[in-house]
Amino acid sequence: MEESRRHLHPPGDVLDLLLPPVGTWFRSAFDAPTPPQCLGWPAIAQGLNTLIVAPTGSGKTLAAFLACLDAIWRETASNAQLRSTRLLYISPLKALNVDIARNLVAPLEGISATSQAMGTPLRSLQVGVRTGDTPPAERRQLLRHPPDILITTPESLHLMLTSRARETLCNVRHVIIDEIHALCSNKRGVFLSVLLERLQSQIDTEFTRIGLSATQRPLQEVARFLGGQRRVVGQGTSAKFESRPVHIVDAGTRKDLDLAVAYPGPIAPGGSIWPVIEERLVDLISRHRSTIVFANNRRVVERLAASLNEQTQPNSVSETDIDEPHAVFARPHHGSLSLDVRRATEDALKDG
């Protein structure tokens, strides 16, 4: 598999790969392309399946999206009325999908304004989100009027491919798989691989696959997962397959970590470790502006949040407080909670 490592193109040359309004907007919004952008744009522009590995905050998501948006505008330039989903973004996290939809607003509006000012207006692109949290009315709207860019999860993609909604995906040209490291080594990853092949089977041309990750190694194995396999000859049991080639963009760097293994403290004979852990957590949380505590399962999350609140705010947490994230010391967050509760907690964490 072809791999590129820090052989950066001059920023001007890389931006020249994009349509003039896209490149002009980027220059006005950023100082210069980042390594994953310099390395990723040429590969995606050539239609290569591409795995981009780069640290969080390095611009790899924009590297993937901007190249794909540029391709959509080029493809639809001759037919402004052509409406169907061209770009599919898949993430295992519903919360990330919501953030991505929000973060696309600025570049889409900025590029549109730039193109208008340059006298070469680009068609406005529509963004849709389809997850388990999407209300039925919005799902029907997505079916009637497919967005140019659809943001979804593996599970929602499965529901689409097993319903009439699959017809809206027949013109997909690019698929971005974010947080690919969270998928490639488990059952959800196997499930997604099957879904991608089902999607490919209903599209006339091979779509371009783009994987994004900040942590995954070994890269060759992740790239093999991203590319999947295609049949080259034969049918049934006599069919032969080959791995799709994937271009690896390794823009990773080793980050400085402040890492410690902490022992909660002495435990009374025959006692539980949880009171000691909770006491330590109360101390750590109290000394920081915002803290995320991860637990093994939803039951532990609920129990731990309740216990921490009981210790810090005994008899003071009312039903009203459930809808006020700042009113309690700790709040649970997991997929079984309602969308409104999860969003309130996420917003409180960002504000904290």
Side-chain angles (χ1 to χ4, degrees), residues 16 50 133 150 167 173 213 283-285 309 332 343:
D16 287 343
T50 305
D133 293 330
L150 181 64
E167 298 172 4
R173 295 294 179 262
S213 176
D283 176 60
L284 289 171
I285 294 170
N309 286 327
R343 282 184 176 173

Side-chain angles (χ1 to χ4, degrees), residues 64-199:
F65 266 111
L66 210 56
C68 295
L69 296 178
D70 186 87
I72 294 175
W73 278 312
R74 290 176 185 272
E75 183 182 10
T76 59
S78 59
N79 187 355
Q81 303 304 316
L82 185 62
R83 289 288 182 183
S84 63
T85 299
R86 289 293 195 273
L87 170 58
L88 193 62
Y89 170 94
I90 303 172
S91 163
L93 306 172
K94 288 187 287 187
L96 178 58
N97 287 346
V98 174
D99 285 342
I100 289 296
R102 292 173 180 169
N103 294 339
L104 275 176
V105 172
L108 287 175
E109 291 183 349
I111 294 170
S112 177
T114 300
S115 69
Q116 293 285 347
M118 296 177 66
T120 54
L122 297 174
R123 194 193 74 179
S124 62
L125 300 182
Q126 303 301 315
V127 180
V129 179
R130 173 68 157 82
T131 70
D133 293 330
T134 305
E138 290 186 21
R139 297 184 189 185
R140 291 191 293 270
Q141 180 69 11
L142 292 174
L143 182 59
R144 289 193 297 267
H145 304 287
D148 303 281
I149 306 154
L150 181 64
I151 298 170
T152 190
T153 61
E155 290 74 20
S156 290
L157 177 59
H158 167 67
L159 293 176
M160 293 186 70
L161 290 174
T162 53
S163 69
R164 282 199 308 121
R166 65 179 175 272
E167 298 172 4
T168 66
L169 303 176
C170 290
N171 292 308
V172 167
R173 295 294 179 262
H174 293 82
V175 175
I176 299 174
I177 305 172
D178 208 347
E179 302 293 330
I180 193 171
H181 57 273
L183 292 167
C184 61
S185 61
N186 54 43
K187 292 180 180 179
R188 287 185 82 191
V190 175
F191 182 50
L192 177 59
S193 293
V194 174
L195 293 176
L196 292 176
E197 296 308 323
R198 290 182 64 180
L199 175 64

